[in-house]
């Protein structure tokens, strides 16, 4: 099964097309949908005391809920990419390359030192 980003984007484009929902998928609406779903993801951790990944992984229901909300975020990102003809895989690759240069070893060490002060 090809589950590459481009294939998943195409599958979502077909899902939207079959339902004639493209007219609602303006960039602004999709940006809001991405934000709302991101907040639903955040809500899964509301009132927790910043548990480590290993702790979260022990809670199957929580992991399922996180998986569900994460998928919602990504699906609406596919929608945005489709509406604006953005090659999402290429955009991710470019951003990762940009981050590779932006966060060199020295910069990363400085950022980590700052973050450690807040732990
Ligand atoms: Mg959701």
């Amino acid at each position: 099964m090809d589950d590459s980003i481009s294939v998943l984007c195409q599958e979502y484009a077909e899902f939207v097309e079959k339902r004639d929902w493209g007219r609602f998928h303006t960039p602004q609406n999709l940006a809001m949908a991405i934000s709302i779903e991101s907040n639903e993801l955040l809500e899964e951790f509301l009132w927790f005391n910043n548990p480590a990944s290993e702790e979260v992984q022990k809670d199957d229901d929580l992991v399922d809920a996180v998986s569900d909300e994460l998928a919602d975020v990504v699906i609406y990102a596919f929608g945005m990419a489709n509406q604006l003809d953005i090659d999402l895989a290429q955009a991710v690759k470019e951003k990762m390359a940009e981050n590779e240069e932006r966060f060199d070893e020295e910069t990363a060490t400085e950022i980590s030192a700052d973050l450690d002060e807040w732990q």
Side-chain angles (χ1 to χ4, degrees):
M1 182 173 95
D2 184 353
D3 55 2
S4 65
I5 288 177
S6 61
V7 168
L8 295 172
C9 277
Q10 182 57 39
E11 286 181 15
Y12 187 60
E14 291 166 10
F15 173 88
V16 170
E17 174 72 27
K18 280 182 196 168
R19 290 157 183 81
D20 191 26
W21 284 349
R23 58 204 163 105
F24 306 118
H25 282 203
T26 59
Q28 178 181 308
N29 283 346
L30 288 163
M32 288 191 288
I34 291 167
S35 178
I36 289 164
E37 295 299 343
S38 295
N39 280 284
E40 289 179 4
L41 175 62
L42 193 55
E43 187 178 26
E44 295 300 329
F45 297 101
L46 183 64
W47 309 123
F48 286 19
N49 191 19
N50 197 15
S53 301
E54 296 78 14
E55 287 301 311
V56 173
Q57 286 174 332
K58 293 175 186 171
D59 185 335
D60 291 340
D61 289 340
L62 179 56
V63 172
D64 285 348
V66 168
S67 175
D68 194 58
E69 298 305 343
L70 191 58
D72 285 341
V73 171
V74 172
I75 288 167
Y76 279 127
F78 292 160
M80 181 74 86
N82 288 338
Q83 289 298 317
L84 299 180
D85 290 327
I86 292 170
D87 181 336
L88 194 54
Q90 184 62 33
V92 169
K93 284 182 191 173
E94 288 173 8
K95 190 68 181 187
M96 289 174 73
E98 188 182 307
N99 287 342
E100 191 70 37
E101 285 190 27
R102 185 175 170 205
F103 301 110
D104 58 30
E105 194 172 327
E106 184 181 334
T107 304
T109 301
E110 289 171 6
I111 290 171
S112 294
D114 287 343
L115 294 174
D116 281 338
E117 288 183 26
W118 291 95
Q119 294 293 314

